[in-house]
Coordinates of all heavy atoms in Angstrom, one line a residue:
S218 N -81.2 212.4 -65.4 CA -81.8 213.7 -65.7 C -81.5 214.1 -67.1 O -82.4 214.7 -67.8 CB -81.4 214.7 -64.7 OG -80.0 214.9 -64.7
Q219 N -80.3 213.9 -67.6 CA -80.0 214.2 -68.9 C -80.9 213.5 -69.9 O -81.4 214.0 -70.9 CB -78.5 214.0 -69.2 CG -77.5 215.0 -68.7 CD -76.2 214.8 -69.3 OE1 -75.9 215.0 -70.5 NE2 -75.2 214.3 -68.5
R220 N -81.0 212.2 -69.7 CA -81.9 211.4 -70.6 C -83.3 211.9 -70.6 O -83.9 212.0 -71.6 CB -81.9 209.9 -70.1 CG -82.8 209.1 -71.0 CD -82.9 207.7 -70.4 NE -83.8 206.9 -71.2 CZ -85.2 206.8 -71.1 NH1 -85.7 207.6 -70.2 NH2 -85.9 206.1 -71.9
T221 N -83.8 212.3 -69.4 CA -85.2 212.8 -69.3 C -85.3 214.1 -70.1 O -86.3 214.3 -70.9 CB -85.5 213.1 -67.8 OG1 -85.5 211.9 -67.1 CG2 -86.9 213.7 -67.7
V222 N -84.3 215.0 -70.0 CA -84.4 216.3 -70.8 C -84.3 216.0 -72.3 O -85.0 216.6 -73.1 CB -83.3 217.2 -70.3 CG1 -83.3 218.5 -71.2 CG2 -83.5 217.6 -68.9
I223 N -83.4 215.1 -72.7 CA -83.2 214.8 -74.1 C -84.5 214.2 -74.7 O -85.0 214.6 -75.8 CB -82.1 213.8 -74.3 CG1 -80.7 214.5 -73.9 CG2 -82.0 213.3 -75.8 CD1 -79.6 213.5 -73.8
V224 N -85.1 213.2 -74.0 CA -86.3 212.6 -74.5 C -87.4 213.6 -74.6 O -88.2 213.7 -75.5 CB -86.7 211.4 -73.7 CG1 -88.1 210.8 -74.1 CG2 -85.6 210.3 -73.8
S225 N -87.5 214.4 -73.5 CA -88.6 215.5 -73.5 C -88.5 216.4 -74.7 O -89.5 216.8 -75.3 CB -88.5 216.2 -72.2 OG -88.8 215.4 -71.1
L226 N -87.2 216.9 -74.9 CA -87.0 217.8 -76.0 C -87.4 217.1 -77.4 O -88.0 217.7 -78.3 CB -85.6 218.3 -76.0 CG -85.2 219.4 -77.1 CD1 -86.1 220.6 -76.9 CD2 -83.7 219.7 -76.9
F227 N -87.0 215.9 -77.5 CA -87.3 215.1 -78.7 C -88.8 215.0 -79.0 O -89.3 215.3 -80.1 CB -86.7 213.7 -78.6 CG -86.1 213.1 -79.8 CD1 -84.7 213.2 -80.1 CD2 -86.9 212.6 -80.8 CE1 -84.2 212.6 -81.2 CE2 -86.4 212.0 -82.0 CZ -85.0 212.1 -82.2
L228 N -89.5 214.7 -77.9 CA -91.0 214.5 -78.0 C -91.7 215.8 -78.2 O -92.7 215.9 -78.9 CB -91.5 213.7 -76.8 CG -91.1 212.3 -76.7 CD1 -91.6 211.7 -75.4 CD2 -91.5 211.5 -77.9
F229 N -91.2 216.9 -77.5 CA -91.8 218.2 -77.7 C -91.7 218.6 -79.1 O -92.6 219.2 -79.7 CB -91.2 219.2 -76.7 CG -91.9 220.5 -76.6 CD1 -93.0 220.6 -75.9 CD2 -91.4 221.6 -77.3 CE1 -93.7 221.8 -75.8 CE2 -92.0 222.8 -77.2 CZ -93.2 222.9 -76.4
C230 N -90.5 218.4 -79.7 CA -90.3 218.8 -81.1 C -91.2 218.0 -82.0 O -91.7 218.5 -83.0 CB -88.8 218.6 -81.5 SG -87.7 219.8 -80.8
A231 N -91.4 216.7 -81.7 CA -92.3 215.9 -82.5 C -93.7 216.4 -82.4 O -94.4 216.5 -83.4 CB -92.3 214.4 -82.0
G232 N -94.1 216.9 -81.3 CA -95.4 217.6 -81.1 C -95.5 218.8 -81.9 O -96.5 219.1 -82.6
L233 N -94.5 219.7 -81.9 CA -94.4 220.9 -82.7 C -94.6 220.5 -84.2 O -95.3 221.1 -85.0 CB -93.1 221.6 -82.5 CG -92.9 222.3 -81.2 CD1 -91.5 222.8 -81.1 CD2 -93.9 223.4 -80.9
G234 N -93.9 219.4 -84.6 CA -94.0 218.9 -86.0 C -95.4 218.5 -86.4 O -95.8 218.7 -87.5
V235 N -96.1 217.9 -85.4 CA -97.5 217.5 -85.7 C -98.3 218.8 -86.0 O -99.2 218.8 -86.9 CB -98.1 216.7 -84.5 CG1 -99.6 216.5 -84.7 CG2 -97.4 215.3 -84.4
A236 N -98.1 219.8 -85.2 CA -98.9 221.0 -85.4 C -98.5 221.7 -86.7 O -99.5 222.2 -87.4 CB -98.5 222.0 -84.2
V237 N -97.3 221.7 -87.1 CA -96.9 222.2 -88.4 C -97.5 221.4 -89.5 O -98.1 221.9 -90.5 CB -95.4 222.2 -88.5 CG1 -94.9 222.5 -90.0 CG2 -94.8 223.2 -87.6
A238 N -97.5 220.1 -89.4 CA -98.1 219.2 -90.5 C -99.6 219.5 -90.6 O -100.1 219.5 -91.7 CB -97.8 217.7 -90.1
Q239 N -100.2 219.6 -89.4 CA -101.7 220.0 -89.5 C -101.9 221.3 -90.2 O -102.8 221.4 -91.0 CB -102.2 220.0 -88.0 CG -103.7 220.4 -88.0 CD -104.1 220.8 -86.6 OE1 -103.3 221.6 -85.9 NE2 -105.2 220.4 -86.1
A240 N -101.1 222.3 -89.9 CA -101.2 223.6 -90.5 C -101.0 223.5 -92.0 O -101.6 224.3 -92.8 CB -100.3 224.6 -89.9
Q241 N -100.1 222.6 -92.4 CA -99.8 222.4 -93.9 C -100.8 221.6 -94.6 O -100.7 221.3 -95.8 CB -98.4 221.9 -94.0 CG -97.3 222.8 -93.6 CD -95.9 222.2 -93.7 OE1 -95.8 221.0 -93.4 NE2 -94.9 223.0 -94.0
G242 N -101.8 221.1 -93.8 CA -102.8 220.2 -94.5 C -102.4 218.8 -94.8 O -102.8 218.3 -95.8
Q243 N -101.5 218.3 -94.0 CA -100.9 216.9 -94.3 C -102.1 215.9 -94.4 O -102.9 215.8 -93.5 CB -100.0 216.5 -93.2 CG -99.3 215.2 -93.4 CD -98.6 214.7 -92.2 OE1 -99.1 214.6 -91.1 NE2 -97.3 214.5 -92.3
S244 N -102.1 215.1 -95.5 CA -103.1 214.1 -95.7 C -102.8 212.9 -94.8 O -101.6 212.7 -94.4 CB -103.2 213.7 -97.1 OG -102.0 213.0 -97.5
W245 N -103.8 212.1 -94.6 CA -103.5 210.8 -93.9 C -102.6 209.9 -94.6 O -101.8 209.2 -94.0 CB -104.9 210.1 -93.6 CG -105.5 210.6 -92.3 CD1 -106.6 211.4 -92.2 CD2 -105.1 210.3 -91.0 NE1 -106.9 211.7 -90.9 CE2 -106.0 211.0 -90.1 CE3 -104.1 209.5 -90.4 CZ2 -105.9 210.9 -88.7 CZ3 -104.0 209.4 -89.0 CH2 -104.9 210.1 -88.2
A246 N -102.7 209.9 -95.9 CA -101.8 209.1 -96.7 C -100.3 209.5 -96.5 O -99.4 208.6 -96.3 CB -102.1 209.2 -98.2

C-alpha cells in the first residue's frame, strides 16, 4: 500500500507538471 501511494503521488505530480508546462506554453522541442 505504501508503494501504491508513493507511485500515485509521483504520477499525480507529473500530471500537475504537464498542466503547468501547458500553461507556460512549453514547445514540443
